[in-house]
Amino acid sequence: MAKKVYLGLTGDIIHPGIINIINEGAKYGDVVVGLLTDRAIANHKRLPYLTYEQRREVVQNLRNVSEVVPQDEWSYVPNLERLKPDYIIHGDDWKSGPLSREREDVFALMKRQGGQVVEIPYTRGIDSSALVENAKRIGTTPEIRMKALRRLIEAKPVVRIMEAHSGLSGLIIESAEVEKEDGIHRFDGMWSSSLTDSTDKGKPDIEAVDLTTRLQSLTDILECTTKPIIYDGDTGGLPEHFVFTVRTLERNGVSAVIIEDKVGLKKNSLFGTEAKQEIAPADEFCRKIAEGKKAQVTKEFMIIARLEELIAGRTVDEALERADLYVKAGADGVMIHSKEKSGQDIKEFCMRFRALYKNVPIVLVPTTYNQFTEAELAAWGANVIIYANHMLRAAYPAMCRCAETILRAERSLEANDICMPIKQILELIPGTK
């Protein structure tokens, strides 16, 4: 009987180094590829461009691959314990860096199981990270971008979304990352906020700006980024208007639209009680959701219902009743908003809603109750966390300080220390040398 050789792969980009390691593994026996699922990858690296099914179709048709099995964990250990291969093969590039600890675990396990680790010299001239960066410069397609949000929700404990109001803010979100003990943390996508878009244009946030005007800012972001985008659709307007919005957003590659169940002239939810608004009749809002779902072409586009009951002074019971109606009308998820700093009303809603619906996504915008971490919000049942206005809020005081500094000094020298070098900004922009 042939020996069994285990090889863990992402399989998003197949390059000569991958072919080489498969061929080397075949010299020892039958190569079983543990293909990392989206869930295994998403918390450690960028979500692959191809879905698991697409990657599996490619890998299982490579010469010398005997079998493809899912690897649901970043760690090789669970699959190695289950399959008990005679060998595991890996490039020697894991001797240092983030995978060095994983290497130690694999060596220890294979020794206990009587197997062997085979390390292949890393193929010089091939840099998978560089290939991914090059692909990012090329861009993405509307279809790939649109599908990404659902994939992320399925793959990650919590999806992290940051507000973008311009191409530059989108590029910052696209590139920002922080290395922590559990890996590299990045933003998973962007929130196209009605509030920050109108404020950036110097206009009030009253839903007076039509979709055509909003689309210009949205297009600026779409053209220079690749991550999924959630669109703030305010109330969605009349059902006939909302149908047009859904079709336009879907065609442009936006992943989701969030509409709120308020009526009348829009006033921002974060104002005081004088800004309370009338809640839309449930049957009318349900009709709007249903019409939007009928209008979309793909299964991947999401319509998320934003509940304003807690903002309007209603109870958690009333919010849950509405949420149930909206899901039954076709909503792909719910977003709950509150002005309460304690967050306890949000927590109660989330936990009770999750008891009713195990898999319907919950979206939270913890602007007022921002003392809770993403992990804590995920424990309540949240799937998506939106930081809804922080990029614009951070830019405003910085710009004010710069302007005042120049006015006081009557020159720009004193502003140098609070300004980023223009070269560093330009390096964010693909194609700039």
Side-chain angles (χ1 to χ4, degrees):
M1 181 181 294
K3 301 285 188 179
K4 186 184 294 184
V5 183
Y6 188 83
L7 170 62
L9 284 182
T10 297
D12 197 30
I13 298 176
I14 303 298
H15 53 74
I18 299 297
I19 301 300
N20 178 57
I21 201 168
I22 291 172
N23 291 341
E24 287 296 318
K27 295 177 181 178
Y28 293 85
D30 292 338
V31 176
V32 177
V33 171
L35 191 64
L36 275 70
T37 61
D38 284 358
R39 184 181 298 275
I41 296 166
N43 283 324
H44 298 271
K45 297 172 65 176
R46 185 186 180 93
L47 189 70
Y49 286 94
L50 302 180
T51 66
Y52 176 82
E53 290 73 20
Q54 290 171 324
R55 292 183 284 120
R56 181 182 61 193
E57 181 70 19
V58 171
V59 173
Q60 68 187 9
N61 283 287
L62 294 176
R63 187 167 65 90
N64 287 328
V65 172
S66 299
E67 184 182 358
V68 177
V69 299
Q71 182 173 314
D72 289 316
E73 304 288 338
W74 181 250
S75 170
Y76 298 97
V77 168
N79 268 15
L80 295 178
E81 289 178 329
R82 180 173 63 86
L83 298 171
K84 294 181 170 53
D86 300 285
Y87 302 93
I88 177 174
I89 191 165
H90 200 287
D92 63 3
D93 55 317
W94 68 340
K95 290 182 178 180
S96 60
L99 283 176
S100 58
R101 185 179 300 176
E102 177 66 25
R103 178 178 181 269
E104 293 175 4
D105 293 341
V106 167
F107 266 90
L109 176 65
M110 292 299 285
K111 183 177 181 180
R112 290 197 302 272
Q113 294 186 168
Q116 184 178 342
V117 180
V118 177
E119 294 182 315
I120 301 299
Y122 184 73
T123 304
R124 303 302 167 191
I126 299 294
D127 186 337
S128 297
S129 297
L131 290 173
V132 171
E133 284 303 310
N134 286 335
K136 189 166 70 174
R137 289 189 184 95
I138 294 169
T140 186
T141 67
E143 181 183 14
I144 291 173
R145 188 201 293 262
M146 182 184 59
K147 292 179 178 180
L149 181 62
R150 281 193 185 272
R151 291 175 61 199
L152 284 162
I153 291 172
E154 291 175 3
K156 298 192 69 176
V158 64
V159 177
R160 184 184 297 118
I161 304 293
M162 174 61 88
E163 166 264 319
H165 55 273
S166 64
L168 181 58
S169 62
L171 282 170
I172 293 171
I173 296 164
E174 182 94 358
S175 303
E177 59 181 45
V178 174
E179 187 168 356
K180 302 179 71 174
E181 287 186 2
D182 59 346
I184 296 176
H185 287 225
R186 303 178 179 89
F187 291 107
D188 299 302
M190 301 167 211
W191 167 241
S192 175
S193 161
S194 171
L195 167 64
T196 60
D197 181 71
S198 58
T199 303
D200 189 53
K201 290 181 171 70
K203 297 178 180 179
D205 181 31
I206 56 173
E207 203 171 1
V209 178
D210 62 21
L211 176 62
T212 304
T213 305
R214 285 278 309 276
L215 272 177
Q216 183 54 60
S217 300
L218 182 61
T219 300
D220 289 342
I221 298 169
L222 287 165
E223 286 181 344
C224 62
T225 64
T226 64
K227 293 185 177 181
I229 294 177
I230 303 175
Y231 183 85
D232 178 5
D234 291 325
T235 67
L238 296 173
E240 295 78 12
H241 298 161
F242 185 53
V243 164
F244 171 77
T245 299
V246 167
R247 289 173 177 166
T248 301
L249 295 175
E250 184 183 31
R251 185 170 62 249
N252 281 276
V254 173
S255 295
V257 61
I258 297 181
I259 54 172
E260 57 195 46
D261 59 354
K262 293 192 298 192
V263 294
L265 182 64
K266 179 181 177 183
K267 296 176 184 176
N268 190 271
S269 300
L270 298 178
F271 282 109
T273 54
E274 72 279 2
K276 282 186 180 179
Q277 297 202 340
E278 182 183 350
I279 300 297
D283 58 341
E284 291 183 12
F285 196 71
C286 286
R287 176 174 168 254
K288 191 181 298 184
I289 293 169
E291 290 299 316
K293 292 304 295 180
K294 288 179 191 175
Q296 68 185 68
V297 176
T298 68
K299 294 180 180 179
E300 286 79 13
F301 185 80
M302 301 178 71
I303 296 175
I304 298 170
R306 170 173 159 176
L307 298 141
E308 292 290 289
E309 277 66 25
L310 301 181
I311 292 287
R314 299 189 180 186
T315 65
V316 172
D317 286 338
E318 290 173 296
L320 284 165
E321 183 179 347
R322 284 295 188 106
D324 182 53
L325 291 172
Y326 298 162
V327 172
K328 288 175 179 174
D332 299 292
V334 296
M335 171 180 159
I336 185 72
H337 217 13
S338 173
K339 295 196 300 273
E340 295 297 323
K341 294 183 179 180
S342 70
Q344 293 311 302
D345 53 350
I346 295 291
K347 181 178 181 180
E348 180 185 350
F349 173 89
C350 289
M351 300 192 82
R352 291 175 62 185
F353 180 85
R354 187 53 74 224
L356 292 172
Y357 293 99
K358 301 295 183 186
N359 299 313
V360 176
I362 299 174
V363 181
L364 297 184
V365 183
T367 305
T368 52
Y369 51 98
N370 58 9
Q371 69 271 32
F372 298 102
T373 65
E374 292 163 1
E376 290 173 308
L377 298 175
W380 297 357
N383 303 92
V384 180
I385 307 300
I386 297 178
Y387 299 98
N389 44 47
H390 295 76
M391 293 293 279
L392 186 68
R393 286 167 55 197
Y396 181 81
M399 289 189 291
C400 286
R401 183 182 173 194
C402 179
E404 291 166 3
T405 298
I406 291 174
L407 283 173
R408 286 195 184 93
E410 299 184 24
R411 63 181 186 182
S412 64
L413 175 65
E414 285 73 12
N416 281 353
D417 291 342
I418 60 173
C419 292
M420 178 182 287
I422 192 66
K423 180 178 181 294
Q424 193 171 344
I425 295 175
L426 293 178
E427 286 172 350
L428 277 174
I429 302 172
T432 301
K433 295 183 180 180

